[in-house]
Amino acid sequence: MLRSIGTRRRIACAAGVFGMLLAGVTAGSAATPAAAATPHRVLFDNTKAETAGNADWIVGTSQPDPLGQDATPSAENDWTGALSAWGVGLQKTGDYALKTLPAGNSISYGTSSALDLKNFDTFVLPEPNVLLSAAEKTAVMKFVQNGGGLFLISDHTGADRNNDGNDAVEVINDLMTNNSVDSTDPFGFSVDTLSISTDNPKAITSATDPVINGSFGKVGGSIIRSGTTATLKPADNSSVKGLVHRTGSSGNTGAFFATSAFGSGRVAFWGDSSPIDDGTGQSGNTLYDGWNDPAGTNAPLALNATEWLSGATGSSGGGGGTCTAAQLLANQGFESGSTTWTASSGVITDDTGEPARTGIYKAWLNGYGSAHTDTLSQTVNIPTGCAATLSLYLHIDTAETTITTAYDMLKVQVLGSGGTVLSTLGTYSNLDAASGYALKTFDLGAYAGQAVTVKLTGTEGSTLQTSFVVDDTSLSVS
């Protein structure tokens, strides 16, 4: 049950395996979406009863192309829909190309359809009221995993506008917990089953967050006019971040607006559709002008978030970002042996005692059942102006029987050029052992413009082995 130091042989223990995948493109995943370009391409969904009841969550009645109604809109009334102000605000910059996925269509990724997600940078789900099919959930998750931006907009629990038994809270939670790509809390948050009647939540204080400080204006807060919040779980996805919180809440609870990363992509969540409602739309709908409500800065929040999701942050006027999408880590799956990585002896191995996630090789830290330290590292240069996401698959297997004491540890860290620890991104132990590989994401955007070293350090106590097995790494910039 132990790994022999002499032969470097490791034998898997019956205690099980833990897998954590840090957001990123991994070996064997689907092809990445078309590289972001100017104009940035945004697809608004209208297949999930977004216009049922009194709702009118569309940018225009001309679908799929809102330009069919007015090719040069200057005011929200030039397009017809409660989201027309949002659409026109983007269109006027000249940096965005907008389309609507009309009712009767299916969400797809990797097909020949002109409205396939592979042809877009951002996908907006504005208060969906119909559960996505299994194929649609796979499409959305792969789209984000491979570099797309996903904007999820909920409403209060019970807002079942088409009376099919599902509201936006249930639809969004189902997407995150019942899909074929990653159902282990992939975005690091869950939507709360709440109906909050009225609140004017405030934004966090930040001079650097790209959504709070985007080119469309400074965000001070938002409004709730019958909505909900989310509970954040940074232990599941360290990139999740609450930007606007319900009054009296902070940190991981009561997040009204939140952002996260998954794979090479980005996610934004908003707990109410009232802030995106501009009060105009198709006849017969009861609408509310939350877009211009002075109690919040809803227009900058929606537009900045779209800018960030589309990879356009850091640009002027809402577009024209300068970062070239790339994958920075070499020998991601270790199939070239120890090349490009600096590792302790025997860490990069094809030993069959612990299986690789893909291919033959993986990085196996510890697993000896004796006091031992292993390291694995690679240095990269993160370009200025880029968003950066680190990802890896981690499998933890242990012979420890305790359920309370962390005897063996793995730290994932970022080091500066002098070897100084800039950040400990994640810490895992024998207590995290579970079955299979799974995904986690780490946001490294704060280190853009720097040369940094990604380093994993595993330390093992004097008895009972714990193995930390890593495969399919990625450090994607966009």
Side-chain angles (χ1 to χ4, degrees), residues 196-221:
I196 305 165
S197 59
T198 301
D199 189 25
N200 298 323
K202 301 303 181 185
I204 62 172
T205 300
S206 174
T208 59
D209 184 87
V211 176
I212 298 295
N213 302 280
S215 65
F216 291 95
K218 180 76 172 182
V219 173

Side-chain angles (χ1 to χ4, degrees), residues 238-316:
S238 64
S239 67
V240 71
K241 183 178 183 181
L243 302 186
V244 179
H245 287 84
R246 180 183 183 183
T247 300
S249 296
S250 63
N252 297 333
T253 61
F256 181 57
F257 195 102
T259 57
S260 187
F262 175 69
S264 299
R266 302 171 177 177
V267 180
F269 164 81
W270 211 339
D272 190 6
S273 53
S274 296
I276 58 172
D277 187 344
D278 63 22
T280 70
Q282 300 176 90
S283 176
N285 292 317
T286 303
L287 302 173
Y288 170 78
D289 188 2
W291 187 261
N292 299 300
D293 192 318
T297 47
N298 300 306
L301 184 51
L303 296 168
N304 286 349
T306 311
E307 177 183 64
W308 176 74
L309 289 168
S310 301
T313 43
S315 59
S316 59

Side-chain angles (χ1 to χ4, degrees), residues 334 341-343 347-348 363 365 374-378 454-456 470:
F334 308 104
W341 291 94
T342 300
V347 163
I348 297 176
L365 293 82
D374 275 329
T375 60
L376 173 73
S377 64
Q378 187 175 147
V454 175
K455 184 175 183 180
L456 283 70
V470 176

Side-chain angles (χ1 to χ4, degrees), residues 271-418:
D272 190 6
S273 53
S274 296
I276 58 172
D277 187 344
D278 63 22
T280 70
Q282 300 176 90
S283 176
N285 292 317
T286 303
L287 302 173
Y288 170 78
D289 188 2
W291 187 261
N292 299 300
D293 192 318
T297 47
N298 300 306
L301 184 51
L303 296 168
N304 286 349
T306 311
E307 177 183 64
W308 176 74
L309 289 168
S310 301
T313 43
S315 59
S316 59
T322 59
C323 184
T324 300
Q327 201 296 116
L328 303 183
L329 290 180
N331 193 17
Q332 295 171 259
F334 308 104
E335 296 305 313
S336 297
S338 297
T339 60
T340 70
W341 291 94
T342 300
S344 301
S345 176
V347 163
I348 297 176
T349 178
D350 62 352
D351 190 306
T352 58
E354 289 282 4
R357 178 178 177 270
T358 59
I360 299 173
Y361 283 83
K362 68 276 175 181
W364 185 348
L365 293 82
N366 307 114
Y368 298 103
S370 59
H372 188 85
T373 298
D374 275 329
T375 60
L376 173 73
S377 64
Q378 187 175 147
T379 300
V380 297
N381 289 287
I382 301 178
T384 301
C386 286
T389 302
L390 171 68
S391 73
L392 58 84
Y393 281 94
L394 171 65
H395 163 88
I396 300 179
D397 175 276
T398 189
E400 299 283 1
T401 58
T402 178
I403 59 173
T404 59
T405 305
Y407 290 113
D408 311 310
M409 293 274 193
L410 177 76
K411 289 185 177 181
V412 182
Q413 297 177 313
V414 178
L415 279 58
S417 57

Side-chain angles (χ1 to χ4, degrees), residues 17 22 33 123 137 166 259 291 296 380:
V17 185
L22 311 156
F123 182 47
K137 287 183 284 189
N166 298 295
T259 57
W291 187 261
V380 297

